[in-house]
Amino acid sequence: MRTIHRQIKVEILCEDELSDEEMQILINAQHARLKAQAPLSHYWVGAALLSENGNWYSGCNVERGDYTSTTHAERNAIDSMIGAEGPAKIKILGISAAPAHWVLPKDLVNPMLRAFAVDDFCFACAGCLQVIWDNCCGDISVPLLVLTQDRVIARTTIGDAYPMRFGFESLGIDVKEGRKS
Ligand SMILES: [Zn+2]
């Protein structure tokens, strides 16, 4: 038997450790979250991204009366980018998710004062990790940020959040060009 290992890194941050872009992403994600149409789950999600071309997009989760046609916030934001720019690359993406009644308290958790495990963080569902990866254009270093309902800011990369990937690259397709390489 042979075993191979890979480390997954999650950075837990104070607010003042965020770049201006990262701060804006989380602000936009929180604003988008407040627009959620989620009468079934009562779980509001907002996602925001900055495209490689320098444009901001955001989206919320949208639940439908048939229960099965839900749009996840990450897909809403990414599809807005594609609708405006065509198949573009994500530069950075952030998510804020919590039950509907949740309001961001003033003080975020100081990461030095608590113990954490990687399992404490969910950056996106498995389906959305696939959707995000499809517009990372093969770049595993695209940052993902999350503001959790426990008032914690965490950062990882798509490569760490989705370690065993399948996507356009697996098919030899350049999504921006829309053809096989
Ligand atoms: Zn999702």
Side-chain angles (χ1 to χ4, degrees):
M1 183 180 74
R2 184 173 169 214
T3 305
I4 53 175
H5 295 275
R6 179 167 174 188
Q7 284 191 322
I8 292 174
K9 183 172 79 174
V10 176
E11 297 167 307
I12 301 147
L13 305 160
C14 293
E15 214 170 340
D16 60 9
E17 293 176 302
L18 297 172
S19 69
D20 290 346
E21 270 179 9
E22 290 171 329
M23 180 64 79
Q24 192 62 52
I25 285 281
L26 289 181
I27 290 170
N28 292 357
Q30 288 174 74
H31 285 158
R33 177 181 166 273
L34 298 178
K35 304 287 196 305
Q37 175 178 300
L40 305 174
S41 69
H42 304 288
Y43 193 76
W44 291 5
V45 185
L49 67 87
L50 178 63
S51 75
E52 191 179 46
N53 297 321
N55 299 312
W56 301 90
Y57 301 96
S58 58
C60 58
N61 54 327
V62 182
E63 293 175 351
R64 323 284 180 180
D66 67 357
Y67 279 69
T68 57
S69 303
T70 295
T71 303
H72 293 196
E74 299 90 325
R75 299 178 199 202
N76 199 344
I78 290 168
D79 288 357
S80 294
M81 174 185 76
I82 296 169
E85 298 186 24
K89 185 186 174 201
I90 299 165
K91 183 179 178 191
I92 177 171
L93 185 144
I95 298 152
S96 173
H101 58 76
W102 184 84
V103 180
L104 178 64
K106 273 205 156 102
D107 298 321
L108 296 171
V109 168
N110 181 337
M112 306 308 286
L113 301 180
R114 263 180 58 185
F116 296 97
V118 169
D119 291 344
D120 292 337
F121 300 98
C122 174
F123 283 85
C125 76
C128 285
L129 289 174
Q130 175 68 57
V131 171
I132 295 166
W133 172 239
D134 278 343
N135 283 83
C136 289
C137 302
D139 180 0
I140 61 170
S141 71
V142 171
L144 303 182
L145 280 170
V146 68
L147 172 61
T148 74
Q149 65 190 59
D150 296 328
R151 301 181 295 129
V152 177
I153 298 170
R155 179 173 63 202
T156 191
T157 64
I158 185 65
D160 279 342
Y162 188 20
M164 291 184 279
R165 299 168 296 279
F166 175 84
F168 288 120
E169 287 66 29
S170 313
L171 302 168
I173 292 172
D174 180 335
V175 66
K176 287 204 287 190
E177 299 294 328
R179 56 179 160 73
K180 282 205 169 193
S181 55

